[in-house]
Amino acid sequence: MLHQLWPTNIWVEHNFLSDEMLKSFHQAILPHIEKYNGVPEIFNKDIKIPNLFLEQDESIQFFKNQVKDRLYGFLQVEGFIKPEELAIEINVFPRKFVYGDRARPHTHRGIDYVGVFYVDLDVVDSNENTCDRDDGRLLLIDPIAQRSRGLNHQMLFQLQPVPNLFIIHPAYMFHESEMYKGNKDRDRKSTRLNSSHITISYAVFCLKK
């Protein structure tokens, strides 16, 4: 008898915001992007990331409520007992990827879940089901090391980043982003950006009883 044990759940949702709300949210987070100076590290006190959800902009607060709703729904699927009674601490920050940027395989220690929301980017994916082309995909890596061998051709779950895509996955899951190769210039207030970039709203979730 076959038993499938301990699956890993992820949440993937396209068209997370309406077109109008997405534009408002994008404009609201632009002033905060340059505040990002790296992932927080306990031994590097110079890295400080403001929490975007503390801003009172209407579109940011709408996005916050959407994320909260999806996360509690995700915890229900995860099998938490009375997840509505859990307090959730969320730190959210926007990050910009320019042409050539990538994130190497990593996990997030000390937190429970990770969320990613793609706000704006060039979609340059070749639509081929391979990681050899470096198409800028988000790659989620099988968390059970023993399965990630030559006999297992499903060790990677590949997601094509597109605008308005929201994702939640467990923080323990190794993940990486391939090199971004977009050629999109964006107006940023009155300044013209000459570098191609992708704008991401990045969230980390800690559960508290």
Coordinates of all heavy atoms in Angstrom, one line a residue, residues 96-102 122 124 134 178-185 194-198:
K96 N 14.4 45.7 -5.6 CA 14.5 45.9 -7.0 C 15.6 45.0 -7.6 O 16.7 45.0 -7.0 CB 14.8 47.3 -7.4 CG 15.0 47.6 -8.9 CD 15.2 49.1 -9.1 CE 16.5 49.6 -8.5 NZ 16.6 51.1 -8.8
F97 N 15.3 44.2 -8.6 CA 16.3 43.4 -9.3 C 16.6 44.1 -10.6 O 15.7 44.4 -11.4 CB 15.8 42.0 -9.6 CG 16.0 41.1 -8.5 CD1 15.2 41.2 -7.3 CD2 16.9 40.1 -8.5 CE1 15.3 40.3 -6.3 CE2 17.1 39.2 -7.4 CZ 16.2 39.3 -6.3
V98 N 17.9 44.4 -10.9 CA 18.3 44.9 -12.2 C 18.8 43.8 -13.1 O 19.0 42.7 -12.6 CB 19.3 46.1 -12.1 CG1 18.7 47.2 -11.3 CG2 20.6 45.5 -11.5
Y99 N 19.0 44.1 -14.4 CA 19.5 43.1 -15.3 C 20.8 42.4 -14.7 O 21.7 43.1 -14.3 CB 19.9 43.7 -16.6 CG 20.3 42.7 -17.7 CD1 19.4 42.2 -18.6 CD2 21.6 42.3 -17.8 CE1 19.8 41.3 -19.5 CE2 22.0 41.4 -18.7 CZ 21.1 40.9 -19.6 OH 21.5 39.9 -20.5
G100 N 20.8 41.1 -14.7 CA 21.9 40.3 -14.2 C 21.8 39.9 -12.7 O 22.6 39.1 -12.3
D101 N 20.9 40.5 -12.0 CA 20.7 40.1 -10.6 C 20.1 38.7 -10.5 O 19.3 38.3 -11.3 CB 19.8 41.1 -9.8 CG 20.6 42.3 -9.4 OD1 21.8 42.4 -9.6 OD2 19.9 43.3 -8.9
R102 N 20.5 38.0 -9.4 CA 19.9 36.7 -9.1 C 20.0 36.5 -7.6 O 20.7 37.2 -6.9 CB 20.7 35.6 -9.9 CG 22.1 35.4 -9.4 CD 22.8 34.4 -10.2 NE 22.1 33.2 -10.4 CZ 22.1 32.5 -11.5 NH1 22.8 32.9 -12.5 NH2 21.4 31.3 -11.6
D122 N 9.7 42.6 -16.8 CA 9.7 42.1 -18.1 C 9.6 40.6 -18.0 O 10.4 39.9 -17.3 CB 11.0 42.5 -18.9 CG 10.7 43.5 -19.9 OD1 9.5 43.8 -20.2 OD2 11.7 44.0 -20.5
V124 N 10.5 37.4 -19.8 CA 11.4 37.0 -20.9 C 11.6 35.5 -20.9 O 12.5 35.0 -21.5 CB 12.8 37.7 -20.7 CG1 12.6 39.2 -20.9 CG2 13.4 37.4 -19.4
D134 N 18.3 29.8 -17.7 CA 18.5 30.9 -16.8 C 17.5 32.0 -17.2 O 17.9 33.1 -17.6 CB 19.9 31.4 -16.9 CG 20.4 31.9 -15.5 OD1 19.7 31.5 -14.5 OD2 21.4 32.5 -15.4
E178 N 16.7 32.7 -10.8 CA 17.6 32.8 -11.8 C 17.9 34.2 -12.2 O 17.2 35.1 -11.8 CB 17.1 32.0 -13.0 CG 16.9 30.5 -12.8 CD 16.3 29.8 -14.0 OE1 15.4 30.4 -14.6 OE2 16.7 28.7 -14.2
M179 N 18.9 34.4 -13.1 CA 19.3 35.8 -13.5 C 18.1 36.5 -14.2 O 17.5 35.9 -15.1 CB 20.5 35.7 -14.4 CG 21.0 37.0 -14.9 SD 22.4 36.9 -16.1 CE 23.6 36.0 -15.1
Y180 N 17.9 37.7 -13.8 CA 16.9 38.5 -14.5 C 17.5 39.2 -15.7 O 18.5 39.8 -15.7 CB 16.3 39.6 -13.5 CG 15.3 40.5 -14.2 CD1 14.1 40.0 -14.7 CD2 15.5 41.9 -14.2 CE1 13.2 40.8 -15.3 CE2 14.6 42.7 -14.8 CZ 13.4 42.1 -15.3 OH 12.5 43.0 -15.9
K181 N 16.8 39.0 -16.9 CA 17.3 39.4 -18.1 C 16.3 40.4 -18.9 O 16.3 40.5 -20.1 CB 17.6 38.2 -19.1 CG 18.7 37.3 -18.5 CD 18.9 36.1 -19.4 CE 20.0 35.2 -18.9 NZ 20.2 34.0 -19.8
G182 N 15.4 41.0 -18.1 CA 14.5 41.9 -18.7 C 15.1 43.1 -19.3 O 16.2 43.6 -18.9
N183 N 14.4 43.7 -20.2 CA 14.9 45.0 -20.9 C 13.9 46.1 -20.7 O 13.8 46.9 -21.6 CB 15.2 44.7 -22.4 CG 16.3 43.7 -22.6 OD1 17.4 43.9 -22.1 ND2 16.0 42.6 -23.4
K184 N 13.3 46.1 -19.6 CA 12.2 47.1 -19.4 C 12.7 48.3 -18.6 O 13.2 48.2 -17.6 CB 11.1 46.4 -18.7 CG 9.8 47.3 -18.5 CD 8.7 46.5 -17.9 CE 7.4 47.2 -18.0 NZ 6.3 46.4 -17.4
D185 N 12.5 49.5 -19.2 CA 12.8 50.7 -18.5 C 11.5 51.2 -17.9 O 10.4 51.0 -18.4 CB 13.3 51.8 -19.4 CG 14.7 51.5 -19.9 OD1 15.4 50.7 -19.3 OD2 15.1 52.1 -20.9
N194 N 17.6 53.9 -16.4 CA 18.1 53.3 -17.6 C 18.4 51.8 -17.4 O 18.7 51.1 -18.4 CB 19.5 54.0 -17.9 CG 19.3 55.5 -18.3 OD1 18.3 55.8 -19.0 ND2 20.1 56.4 -17.8
S195 N 18.4 51.3 -16.2 CA 18.6 49.9 -16.0 C 17.3 49.1 -15.9 O 16.3 49.6 -15.4 CB 19.3 49.7 -14.7 OG 18.6 50.2 -13.6
S196 N 17.3 48.0 -16.5 CA 16.1 47.1 -16.5 C 15.9 46.6 -15.1 O 16.9 46.4 -14.3 CB 16.3 45.9 -17.4 OG 16.6 46.4 -18.7
H197 N 14.7 46.5 -14.6 CA 14.5 46.0 -13.3 C 13.2 45.3 -13.0 O 12.3 45.4 -13.8 CB 14.7 47.2 -12.3 CG 13.5 48.1 -12.3 ND1 13.4 49.2 -13.2 CD2 12.4 48.2 -11.5 CE1 12.3 49.8 -13.0 NE2 11.6 49.3 -12.0
I198 N 13.2 44.6 -12.0 CA 12.0 43.9 -11.5 C 11.7 44.4 -10.1 O 12.6 44.5 -9.3 CB 12.2 42.4 -11.5 CG1 11.0 41.6 -10.9 CG2 13.5 41.9 -10.8 CD1 11.1 40.1 -11.1

